[in-house]
Every structure is written in C-alpha cells, then in structure tokens.
Amino acid sequence: MNWLFVLPGFFILLLAVLFFMDSKKHAGVLARQTAPLQLLLIVLTSAIALLSSGLLKRFFYSPQLMFVLWLLFWLLLLVLAVRILAYFVFDFLLLKKQGIRYPKLVKEVVVFVLYIVGILLILNYYLNIRPTALWASSAVLTVVIGFALQDILGNLFSGIVLNFEDSFKLEDWVRIGDREGRVEQFGWRSFKIRTIDRELIVIPNQTASKAEVLIYGSGGQPVRLKIGVAASYQDSPDRVGAAILKALESMTEIRREPPLEVQLVDFADFALNYLVKFWIDDYARHNVIASEARRRIWYTFRRQGVEIPYPKRDVYMKQERSAEIPRQALAEVLQGNDVLREIEAEKFRDLLALAEYKVFGGAETIIREGDASDYFYHIYSGAVNVLKNGQVIARLGAGDFFGEISLVTGEKFNATVVADRESVIVLVSSAHFKQVIDMNEKMALKLSQVITRRQEEMRLFSEKNRRTDSAVLHKNSANLFKRIVNYFATKK
C-alpha cells in the first residue's frame, strides 16, 4: 500500500478533531477558519497519492506536475501550521487560560516571522535555493525597496516598540498633541483612538513614538482634573477658596478622597489665578464634569459677591446693565407675601430697605435640614423643591416662600430646599426682622396663625389623603405663638 494515502487520512482526522473541539467550544473559530484549507490539502494529497500509485503512474505521471503539486502541498501545510500554532499560543493559552490580553500587532508580527522562516525552509530544502545567495544577488533591489518602504518600516518598528514597551494599552485614554481619545486598535502602520465625540482618529506609530504622549489610564482608574478660576484682588484667597469648596461639595461625580484642592497659582495683571484640582472616576465624562464645576462656581461667586474681573488693560469704559431688582417691583412682590403683609406699612418700608437677593443655579442647595436659621426666603422667580429625608415633599414657585419659622422663632431648618432651575431668591435677615419689628401679642398671634396655616398647606401637599383638623391647627398655632413671644421677648 502506498504510504502517501496516509496523508489524506491524517487531514481528515485533524478536521474531525477540530470540529469536535468546536462542539465543546474550545476551538470553534480555528475549525471554521482552517476547514477550507484542510479540504484543499485532503484533495491535494489524494491527487498526489493516486498519481504516485502503480496503475495511474504509468499513464498520467509527470515529474513537472508532481513538483508543482508538492510545492503547493508544502505552502498550504505552512499556512495551516502557522494558523494552528498562532491560535493555540495567543488565543487559547494566553487569552483563554491565562486571561492575558495581547495587542493584535504582536500576533501579526509573530505570524509574519513564522511565514518568513517557513518560506526560507521551503526554498532551502525543497527548491535548493540558498537564502544567502538570494540576498547577495538582490542587494541593490533590497536597498531600493528599503528606501521606498522607509516610512512603512519606520511605522512597523515603532509599533513593535510601543507594544513591547507597554507604554499604553487598549482602552487607555491618551492625549497626543492636541488629539485625545481612547485607544481602540493597534496595527502594523498605525493605531486608532476614539474621541469623546465618537470620531475615529488614525495616528501613525512613528508619530506616537516621537511625540509626547499623556496617558490617563483606562476608564476605571481615578483621574485628577484641573480647572482654572480667576478672582479679583479685592477678594481674599481664603474667601475665594471657601466659596469654591462650597460650590463643589455636593457634586456626586467628584471623589471625596483624595480631597479637593484649591491653589493660588499666580498674581496676574488684573486677577488672582487659582487652580482647582479634584479627582473623578469616569474620564469619559471629564468635559461634562468640568463644565458643571465651572457653572456651580459661577453661581456661588455671584451669590457671595466674589468678582471675576475683566482685564484692566481695556481702554474703554464698559457700562454694565444693572442687575438690581427695582425696589418698587420688590415691594409689590413682598406685599403679597402672607407673612410680611401683616407688618405695619412703616415697618415694612424699613424692612424692605434691608432686603437682599441671591441667584441659585439648578440643583444647588439653598438651605439644609438642621442648619442654623438666618434668613426668611421669598421666591422672586424660578422654582425650588422641598426635601425631607431625601424625598421631595413640595415644589414651590414664584411668589412662594420658605424659612418662615426661622424668621420668627430662630429655630433650625426642618427641611432641605434645592433649586429646581435658576431661581432668584429674596432674603430677609431674621436679625434685621427682629431689629425692625416691634413684636407684640397681637402681631405674634397673627403671624402664628398665618404660619400654622401655611405649614398645614405644605403638609397636605405631601399627604393629600389627610384632612385638616381644626383642633390640631389651633393647638399648633398656640404653641407657635408662645415660641414667637419667647423669641422676641415681648410681655403680655
């Protein structure tokens, strides 16, 4: 029996083994990739065996045909062997068994080297062509090709160095020059990064190897952001730093550890420049988080009177549009307030002169439950949410008010109030109220009745299924009356 008939049987057995492993989910990709190649080898080895057999050899045998068939066999066998070896080393042993993610370029370079070695072996042992003689005879051609492929080879070797240096990996966020994105793929000539705007940028390997690369790490690693803030020389660094910390303390996307830092970095021509440093978890959202931090700082500066200065080198006088609320409009608004309308006209005018207003941005906390009470708040424009134990119990709009208990009793706030959107809030200081208003029993009784009724309306808003109990209202009003009298130290 001709031993060449063993070759088709071997490849049939190999194909069966790979498909069996495919059914066990061990080598499904390899079986599908190599099946056409193995079928060709089965056909080719069968033809070689038949043409070498005693009967057909007499009529169809041709040395030239057999030479070509054997050359095709060795080339196809080389391709099959390299594919199987690359799969078991990289995909099976490293990725599946060890969990090591390797760059695609590394596998491609190893496969390329194996092909070169296999072809040289075929040239040497089958075609009797010595590689040294081949290289010597094509020295001039090699130089010409080298110059022509200079950039390509430069990118290739730069890519190999970048992969083996392990400077940055797949899924890392990097900045190269003015380009920033997440590394998606390494290739022979270049690698690809995906920007935050989902744009795909192809960067030559040689460019990355020569340029300064800033590596932020993968998305799961904490990253520190820096934003610049300028403030006037009239505002002390301690005051500015405290305002910035207050503005950012409630941002959930800023890590509490390591703590946020505010550093004074420069005495500029017209401003003190500060650098705000904080850590975040998701670098993919760094632009959004930085924008929200700047927005909150602006609103906090506006409320606390911290100036963000204009350049002093301007040679023209800029006329600012007044942001003050007209006193007449403010008086009309406050006269409709249930609490303040009980005050005598003369006292009301004195109190109006001492009123102030502040602007709060959406999601900013105006008062916190348990904080000491300093002001009575009237909503001039916008809307706020009243929270108790983290749940919204009321929503107030323009014309509504809150903090009335603190105005007349000095007690701490019993709820948290957060701006739903940008809101202008008129503030009446409890100290000024106590200074201006001559509290007496009649006035205290009126205020206690108004405030008790107001509290019941708020309670009914969150508990719509309960009815107002007049006895409870009277009891609460009497209790509040005593607290008001005690706070203002009036005598019966």
Side-chain angles (χ1 to χ4, degrees), residues 111-386:
V111 169
F112 178 76
V113 171
L114 291 175
Y115 278 134
I116 294 297
V117 171
I119 290 173
L120 290 177
L121 290 174
I122 292 174
L123 290 175
N124 187 43
Y125 292 103
Y126 186 70
L127 300 178
N128 293 320
I129 299 176
R130 297 290 182 267
T132 53
L134 183 65
W135 292 337
S137 63
S138 59
V140 176
L141 180 62
T142 302
V143 172
V144 173
I145 294 175
F147 278 110
L149 300 179
Q150 183 176 3
D151 288 339
I152 295 176
L153 293 176
N155 285 318
L156 170 63
F157 288 109
S158 297
I160 294 173
V161 171
L162 288 174
N163 277 275
F164 281 98
E165 261 190 352
D166 201 25
S167 301
F168 53 89
K169 307 177 288 298
L170 293 174
E171 304 298 322
D172 276 353
W173 281 92
V174 298
R175 177 188 288 274
I176 302 175
D178 59 348
R179 299 164 178 168
E180 180 181 275
R182 176 176 280 166
V183 180
E184 281 202 351
Q185 180 182 339
F186 285 103
W188 288 89
R189 189 187 68 84
S190 60
F191 65 96
K192 299 176 182 178
I193 63 174
R194 181 80 62 177
T195 68
I196 291 178
D197 298 324
R198 306 301 300 162
E199 297 172 338
L200 189 64
I201 300 177
V202 179
I203 300 178
N205 291 330
Q206 216 168 4
T207 300
S209 65
K210 294 179 179 179
E212 180 178 303
V213 181
L214 183 60
I215 304 172
Y216 297 104
S218 60
Q221 297 176 332
V223 178
R224 187 164 72 172
L225 294 189
K226 306 174 186 177
I227 60 175
V229 178
S232 168
Y233 274 92
Q234 278 68 43
D235 299 304
S236 68
D238 286 352
R239 183 186 178 201
V240 173
I244 294 173
L245 293 175
K246 180 70 174 176
L248 303 184
E249 67 178 1
S250 60
M251 283 190 63
T252 58
E253 291 186 289
I254 294 180
R255 293 174 62 94
R256 303 276 75 86
E257 292 293 337
L260 184 148
E261 298 179 20
V262 181
Q263 299 176 352
L264 177 58
V265 294
D266 189 24
F267 294 98
D269 293 340
F270 54 87
L272 294 175
N273 291 334
Y274 299 85
L275 190 63
V276 184
K277 300 179 180 180
F278 52 87
W279 292 80
I280 63 173
D281 290 316
D282 187 3
Y283 187 76
R285 287 180 49 78
H286 75 277
N287 284 337
V288 177
I289 297 172
S291 174
E292 176 64 13
R294 294 187 184 98
R295 188 182 74 90
R296 295 197 179 203
I297 290 172
W298 187 92
Y299 278 111
T300 302
F301 278 14
R302 184 69 175 270
R303 285 195 301 275
Q304 298 191 11
V306 177
E307 179 188 0
I308 300 177
Y310 292 99
K312 294 297 189 295
R313 290 188 294 268
D314 287 353
V315 295
Y316 62 90
M317 297 297 294
K318 186 170 182 177
Q319 185 65 36
E320 292 289 348
R321 180 172 59 88
S322 176
E324 293 289 334
I325 300 175
R327 284 292 157 178
Q328 182 61 33
L330 184 59
E332 292 176 359
V333 169
L334 294 183
Q335 282 172 349
N337 188 287
D338 291 341
V339 174
L340 300 181
R341 72 171 53 158
E342 301 296 337
I343 302 173
E344 297 175 2
E346 183 179 352
K347 300 297 182 182
F348 179 83
R349 287 192 297 271
D350 294 339
L351 194 62
L352 179 65
L354 299 172
E356 55 183 300
Y357 80 96
K358 293 183 179 180
V359 181
F360 290 85
E364 285 200 284
T365 301
I366 301 172
I367 61 174
R368 293 183 185 276
E369 183 177 358
D371 284 356
S373 56
D374 295 315
Y375 293 95
F376 168 73
Y377 301 82
H378 180 97
I379 304 173
Y380 184 80
S381 64
V384 302
N385 293 319
V386 182

Side-chain angles (χ1 to χ4, degrees), residues 404-440:
E404 62 273 13
I405 293 294
S406 67
L407 183 68
V408 294
T409 67
E411 297 174 0
K412 293 183 178 181
F413 297 118
N414 58 7
T416 297
V417 179
V418 178
D420 183 66
R421 57 179 183 272
E422 182 173 293
S423 304
V424 179
I425 310 295
V426 179
L427 288 79
V428 177
S429 168
S430 57
H432 290 156
F433 187 84
K434 190 175 182 181
Q435 174 186 346
V436 171
I437 303 302
D438 293 328
M439 185 62 66
N440 52 52

